[in-house]
């Protein structure tokens, strides 16, 4: 628990504290005599002036010095026309300023920058306004998300940023609210709940604003929800329209013809009891000329189609790109990437609009690299399929049929009766990390993942609201028991940066990274592609060749996407650095040795910047000997089952070691002593560790402890094996967790 997360009250008017460090900001109430350096109105009024006329026209024009919408423009190309930092000058790039967020969980936000002011978000949906030239904090808004709600965040307590519009900034909060803030002061103008209170919805995505409507979706399909997006009036917060992505119980009638059409594609199950899924948790795009809003929809809830819709069917509008009339909220067309999805293959991934020449015709296209591993080019005027090819190794389908636009499934990926190893895994060939399109090279750049997963049906599945409701047995994908298999498992974790030609549907170049879950992307007219990496470095690559031109240590893995802007004629590149997200909490994969998990930071670079990051002192910790405990094989078995039913989604299948949430392999003897108080009685609820009294009694908690101890012993044996010398890179990473000392 970080000090800044404990600040009471909803608003910190740090504009009052101009010039204070963030250390002072941690406890602003402690010094009532703190001088007010300048009148707050002047700064707040200046920000108000700068943001007052942000509207759709300005987002379309997209002045080079600003970054006005999360994808920079409605087409979401994430390409900056600035070129002062370029192939020739990038070697002089240096840190201009940094700002410590005082958090150690995932930071995924893309900042909005307008006339020298930067708006961004951190963990638990906190919003910050900074001077984009100096890093000075102007204000902070904390929506006071109840920490207990963190249990519903499948993929960490992250937020991907704000939207700005007519003097306000808008944020969706983890507990399902949409809040409008005064851009000058951070004071809330309105705050509405966008979710029913009895379902485990979360918001992590950035809102989009078009035609005075704030559009917001949500997540939660792993827990059991029904997906939708809602449009709210930007001025008043009044709800204008809602588009559900999957049908409810047909007996209740349908909200629209779209839902009636969709219901015919769900067969035999009671999907509405679990929720159906199809959540719109991240990507959107907008074409003002066509007046179409594009949304990407998520996986089914539960994942497992043999439970969700046992009679078959495509299950519309899961895993789809849906084009929606921006005024009415009605569907114009849809294209489903994974009909009848059963592998968590969401299509919420970044969508890019561009006009490109294909077969001698200028086509208005929408492009996406969804989780299922195929890169799609679709006609965005009518949803017509143009082409799709695999951008990562794919085993669930052989190809996408060019005539029908439907994938041809591989029966070897069907896991209803037996465990099947499938690529990509549920984290996808590409997750939420933004891509970029460079109009100069004509290439789309993809922060790609190559991960496999062992799927098996959970035959004991029943819907429990507090639980992970996927219908998939996570035990099947726990790291294998033998040293050799474990080694093979580690070697299979891959991530890379790909340059993809959307016309030829092929990879042009690839940079293989040290490990998986690398950051989102920015391309610039300077011929560069910027990316932060999972090995704790921020880098610039040549957009045409992939050559590494510059990199700088950041000590913490970066997952967010950079932005670029200019102030007083000087170009800046900024990125939010903080390791976390789905891979870090749930994959069980070890993190890179150089990703030492310093606290989160906003990092801003310019040519000849001469600021330096404090170099952390790092020690590497081996897995400690666990306390002695006597347990029988039956207790271990029960513990393994319960661990994967309740714990693995945060603490990693097989007791993983990846990340930002405590690795139970490293649990101290003191922690073991108060095990039941934590697991059953909720001793750490305020730290985001829920109590599991709804599912576990004292004995059940001890079963889990037995399993954790057994896995810890197994890990120690693995790390002491002779393979340690043979494969030092793999085993050093898995066996020694980097720890910043003195923090
Ligand atoms: Ca999912």
């Amino acid at each position: 628990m970080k000090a800044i997360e404990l600040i009471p009250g909803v608003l910190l008017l740090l504009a009052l504290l101009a010039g204070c460090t963030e250390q002072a900001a941690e406890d602003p109430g402690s010094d009532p005599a703190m001088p007010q350096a300048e009148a707050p109105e002047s700064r707040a009024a200046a920000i108000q002036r700068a943001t007052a006329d942000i509207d759709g026209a300005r987002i379309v024009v997209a002045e080079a010095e600003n970054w006005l919408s999360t994808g920079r423009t409605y087409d979401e190309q994430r390409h900056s026309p600035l070129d002062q930092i370029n192939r020739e000058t990038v070697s002089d790039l240096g840190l201009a300023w940094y700002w410590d967020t005082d958090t150690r969980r995932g930071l995924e936000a893309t900042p909005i920058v307008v006339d020298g002011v930067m708006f961004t978000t951190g963990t638990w949906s906190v919003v910050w306004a900074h001077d984009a030239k100096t890093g000075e904090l102007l204000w902070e808004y904390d929506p006071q998300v109840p920490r207990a709600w963190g249990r519903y965040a499948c993929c960490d307590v992250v937020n991907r940023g704000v939207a700005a519009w007519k003097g306000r900034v808008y944020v969706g909060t983890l507990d399902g609210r949409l809040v409008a803030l005064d851009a000058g002061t951070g004071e809330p103008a309105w705050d509405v709940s966008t979710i029913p209170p009895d379902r485990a919805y979360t918001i992590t995505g950035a809102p989009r604003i078009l035609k005075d409507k704030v559009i917001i979706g949500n997540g939660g399909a792993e827990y059991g929800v029904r997906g939708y997006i809602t449009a709210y009036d930007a001025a008043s917060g009044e709800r204008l329209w809602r588009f559900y992505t999957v049908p409810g119980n047909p007996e209740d009638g349908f909200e629209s013809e779209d839902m009636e059409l969709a219901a015919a594609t769900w067969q035999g199950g009671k999907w509405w009891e679990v929720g159906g899924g199809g959540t719109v948790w991240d990507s959107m795009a907008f074409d003002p000329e066509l007046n179409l809003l594009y949304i990407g929809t998520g996986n089914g809830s539960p994942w497992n189609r043999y439970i969700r819709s046992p009679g078959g069917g495509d299950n519309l509008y899961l895993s789809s790109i849906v084009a929606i009339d921006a005024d009415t909220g009605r569907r114009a067309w849809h294209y489903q990437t994974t009909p009848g999805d059963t592998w968590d293959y969401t299509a919420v991934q970044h969508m890019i609009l561009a006009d490109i020449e294909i077969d001698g015709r200028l086509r208005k296209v929408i492009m996406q690299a969804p989780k299922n591993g195929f890169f799609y080019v679709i006609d965005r005027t009518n949803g017509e399929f143009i082409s799709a090819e695999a951008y990562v190794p794919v085993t669930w389908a052989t190809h996408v049929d060019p005539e029908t636009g439907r994938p041809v499934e591989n029966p070897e990926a069907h896991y209803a009766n037996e465990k099947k190893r499938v690529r990509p895994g549920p984290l996808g060939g590409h997750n939420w990390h933004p891509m970029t399109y460079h109009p100069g090279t004509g290439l789309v750049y993809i922060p790609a993942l190559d991960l496999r997963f062992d799927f098996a049906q959970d035959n004991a599945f029943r819907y429990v609201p507090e639980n992970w409701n996927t219908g998939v047995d996570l035990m099947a994908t726990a790291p294998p028991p033998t040293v050799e298999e474990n080694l093979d498992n580690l070697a299979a974790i891959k991530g890379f940066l790909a340059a993809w030609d959307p016309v030829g549907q092929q990879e042009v170049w690839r940079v293989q990274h040290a490990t998986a879950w690398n950051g989102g992307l920015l391309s610039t007219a300077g011929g560069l592609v910027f990316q932060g990496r999972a090995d704790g470095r921020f880098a610039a690559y040549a957009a045409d060749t992939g050559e590494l031109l510059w990199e700088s240590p950041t000590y913490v893995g970066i997952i967010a996407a950079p932005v670029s802007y200019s102030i007083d004629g000087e170009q800046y590149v900024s990125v939010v650095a903080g390791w976390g997200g789905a891979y870090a909490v749930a994959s069980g994969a070890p993190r890179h040795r150089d990703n030492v998990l310093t606290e989160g930071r906003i990092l801003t670079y310019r040519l000849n910047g001469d600021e330096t990051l404090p170099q952390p002192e790092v020690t590497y910790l081996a897995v400690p000997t666990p306390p002695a405990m006597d347990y029988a094989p039956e207790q271990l078995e029960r513990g393994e089952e319960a661990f994967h039913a309740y714990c693995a989604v945060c603490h990693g299948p097989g007791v993983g070691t990846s990340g930002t949430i405590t690795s139970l392999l490293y649990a101290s003897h003191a922690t073991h002593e108060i095990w039941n108080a934590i697991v059953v009685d909720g001793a750490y609820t305020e730290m985001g560790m829920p109590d599991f009294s709804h599912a576990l009694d004292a004995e059940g908690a001890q079963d889990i402890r037995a399993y954790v101890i057994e896995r810890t012993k197994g890990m120690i044996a693995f790390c002491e094996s002779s393979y340690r010398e043979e494969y030092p890179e793999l085993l050093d990473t898995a066996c020694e967790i980097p720890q910043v000392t003195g923090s």
Side-chain angles (χ1 to χ4, degrees):
M1 181 59 81
K2 304 299 166 289
I4 207 158
E5 296 170 347
L6 287 168
I7 295 165
V10 289
L11 177 66
L12 277 178
L13 255 180
L14 287 172
L16 291 169
L17 306 175
C20 285
T21 66
E22 75 282 354
Q23 277 75 23
E26 285 174 0
D27 190 8
S30 66
D31 183 6
M34 187 167 290
Q36 298 189 5
E38 63 181 81
E41 291 78 12
S42 60
R43 190 65 191 249
I47 304 173
Q48 256 302 326
R49 264 198 308 282
T51 55
D53 65 345
I54 298 178
D55 62 4
R58 265 188 86 182
I59 291 172
V60 170
V61 169
E63 52 258 45
E65 66 270 25
N66 289 325
W67 192 284
L68 296 181
S69 180
T70 196
R72 187 165 187 278
T73 45
Y74 283 135
D75 56 23
E76 305 266 334
Q77 292 184 355
R78 289 178 176 264
H79 174 79
S80 169
L82 296 172
D83 62 2
Q84 190 178 72
I85 302 167
N86 56 44
R87 292 189 60 140
E88 281 68 46
T89 61
V90 71
S91 55
D92 293 329
L93 198 61
L95 194 62
W97 59 265
Y98 69 94
W99 185 81
D100 293 340
T101 60
D102 200 17
T103 61
R104 280 169 208 272
R105 291 185 70 171
L107 297 176
E108 298 187 350
T110 298
I112 299 292
V113 183
V114 52
D115 294 358
V117 180
M118 175 185 293
F119 302 98
T120 190
T121 60
T123 57
W124 300 106
S125 327
V126 170
V127 184
W128 296 298
H130 286 88
D131 183 317
K133 185 172 184 170
T134 66
E136 177 195 348
L137 181 67
L138 303 174
W139 54 256
E140 176 184 87
Y141 167 75
D142 183 347
Q144 298 289 317
V145 172
R147 295 306 185 251
W149 205 262
R151 75 186 301 167
Y152 300 131
C154 70
C155 307
D156 206 352
V157 293
V158 293
N159 186 281
R160 284 182 289 279
V162 298
W165 191 265
K166 297 186 179 175
R168 287 182 179 162
V169 292
Y170 298 79
V171 65
T173 68
L174 193 74
D175 57 344
R177 290 176 285 146
L178 179 65
V179 186
L181 303 170
D182 182 295
T185 64
E187 223 166 319
W190 52 260
D191 180 338
V192 297
S193 175
T194 72
I195 61 170
D198 59 341
R199 285 279 176 161
Y201 286 95
T202 47
I203 298 178
T204 56
R208 307 300 200 276
I209 309 186
L210 42 104
K211 303 174 90 174
D212 291 315
K213 297 177 184 69
V214 190
I215 316 291
I216 192 77
N218 48 54
E222 273 60 51
Y223 291 81
V225 301
R226 181 186 182 194
Y228 59 84
I229 57 159
T230 316
Y232 292 89
D233 181 83
S236 67
E238 183 198 345
R239 182 172 144 182
L240 300 174
W241 54 254
R242 175 165 289 179
F243 177 83
Y244 284 99
T245 59
V246 297
N249 185 347
E251 282 183 11
D252 298 341
F254 298 109
E255 289 87 354
S256 65
E257 196 189 340
D258 294 331
M259 289 301 98
E260 197 172 349
L261 286 169
T265 68
W266 295 65
Q267 283 144 22
K270 290 186 175 178
W271 68 87
W272 57 89
E273 288 178 358
V274 183
T279 48
V280 186
W281 55 263
D282 191 51
S283 167
M284 298 182 223
F286 178 54
D287 185 322
E289 281 175 31
L290 297 168
N291 198 38
L292 291 178
L293 167 70
Y294 304 95
I295 61 168
T297 70
N299 54 279
S301 188
W303 290 358
N304 186 330
R305 74 178 179 213
Y306 314 107
I307 294 171
R308 190 181 69 233
S309 184
D314 288 353
N315 294 186
L316 293 172
Y317 302 94
L318 295 181
S319 305
S320 300
I321 298 171
V322 185
I324 292 172
D325 181 297
D327 295 321
T328 64
R330 298 293 304 276
R331 182 183 60 95
W333 58 258
H334 72 275
Y335 174 81
Q336 190 173 39
T337 60
T338 312
D341 167 48
T342 193
W343 305 277
D344 189 19
Y345 287 160
T346 70
V348 303
Q349 280 58 48
H350 183 193
M351 298 176 293
I352 293 175
L353 313 185
D355 297 349
I356 59 178
E357 195 179 304
I358 300 173
D359 294 334
R361 269 173 74 193
L362 193 67
R363 303 290 299 261
K364 289 179 182 292
V365 303
I366 182 166
M367 301 181 282
Q368 189 187 44
K371 276 190 187 177
N372 77 11
F374 291 101
F375 186 94
Y376 292 85
V377 180
I378 305 290
D379 185 324
R380 74 173 180 274
T381 66
N382 56 15
E384 184 195 326
F385 174 83
I386 296 175
S387 60
E389 290 294 338
Y391 64 92
V392 288
V394 169
T395 66
W396 71 276
T398 56
H399 63 289
V400 180
D401 185 305
E403 297 304 315
T404 63
R406 288 179 68 92
V408 179
E409 280 189 14
N410 178 356
E412 278 309 299
H414 296 177
Y415 58 85
N417 300 315
E418 55 180 322
K419 177 165 116 174
K420 290 289 169 60
R421 176 162 287 179
V422 179
R423 290 161 91 185
L427 288 168
H430 165 227
N431 208 287
W432 59 268
H433 312 82
M435 311 188 293
T436 179
Y437 172 72
H438 193 307
T441 62
L443 301 175
V444 175
Y445 302 85
I446 312 170
L449 295 166
D450 179 8
L451 303 167
R452 66 193 191 191
F453 191 85
D454 294 333
F455 283 90
Q457 176 152 302
D458 175 5
N459 289 314
F461 176 77
R462 69 187 173 92
Y463 169 62
V464 179
E466 291 91 345
N467 287 0
W468 185 258
N469 289 288
T470 61
V472 166
D473 183 358
L474 282 184
M475 221 153 77
T477 206
T482 72
V483 168
E484 288 78 8
E485 287 175 84
N486 219 333
L487 207 57
D488 181 58
N489 212 43
L490 285 173
I493 297 168
K494 292 190 179 111
F496 58 92
L497 166 61
W500 189 265
D501 169 10
V503 178
Q505 282 284 17
Q506 58 183 347
E507 189 177 287
V508 175
W509 54 254
R510 169 189 300 207
V511 176
Q512 194 71 45
H513 290 328
T515 187
W517 205 246
N518 297 281
L521 303 174
L522 160 75
S523 68
T524 71
L528 302 173
V529 174
F530 285 91
Q531 183 178 34
R533 299 196 310 245
D535 64 351
R537 288 169 180 84
F538 187 54
Y541 300 90
D544 52 355
T545 64
E547 186 191 347
L548 175 68
L549 298 176
W550 172 89
E551 66 178 355
S552 185
T554 56
Y555 309 113
V556 65
I558 297 176
I559 52 178
V563 299
S564 191
Y565 56 92
S566 73
I567 302 170
D568 304 332
E570 185 152 44
Q571 184 184 357
Y572 295 80
V573 174
S574 190
V575 69
V576 178
W579 182 246
Y583 176 86
V585 300
S587 73
R591 69 174 188 269
H592 194 273
R593 284 172 68 81
D594 296 340
N595 175 10
V596 303
L597 290 194
T598 59
E599 66 186 292
R601 289 187 169 118
I602 303 173
L603 302 169
T604 299
Y605 301 83
R606 63 174 168 82
L607 294 180
N608 305 310
D610 56 3
E611 185 63 83
T612 51
L613 285 177
Q615 191 172 343
E617 271 178 50
V618 182
T619 51
Y620 288 85
L621 306 178
V623 179
T625 307
M629 180 181 182
D630 289 325
Y631 40 82
E634 309 82 69
Q635 187 177 12
L636 263 188
E637 217 170 286
R638 287 197 306 271
E640 180 177 17
E641 217 162 279
F643 179 89
H644 289 94
Y646 307 115
C647 317
V649 296
C650 290
H651 292 286
V655 193
T657 62
S658 58
T660 53
I661 289 179
T662 311
S663 167
L664 296 179
L665 296 175
Y666 287 78
S668 67
H669 287 217
T671 299
H672 278 276
E673 273 168 35
I674 59 165
W675 191 270
N676 283 20
I678 298 168
V679 176
V680 185
D681 304 332
Y684 288 174
T685 308
E686 278 304 300
M687 295 164 69
M689 164 67 196
D691 81 77
F692 283 86
S693 56
H694 71 280
L696 296 165
D697 57 13
E699 211 179 311
Q702 287 299 307
D703 293 348
I704 290 173
R705 194 168 83 87
Y707 174 65
V708 168
I709 286 178
E710 184 71 11
R711 289 297 304 188
T712 308
K713 288 181 189 165
M715 195 65 186
I716 291 169
F718 175 58
C719 294
E720 286 174 352
S721 74
S722 57
Y723 289 98
R724 185 69 183 265
E725 279 163 30
E726 225 176 305
Y727 303 95
E729 263 179 47
L730 287 180
L731 266 71
D732 285 357
T733 295
C735 295
E736 291 183 343
I737 286 190
Q739 172 103 345
V740 179
T741 49
S743 69

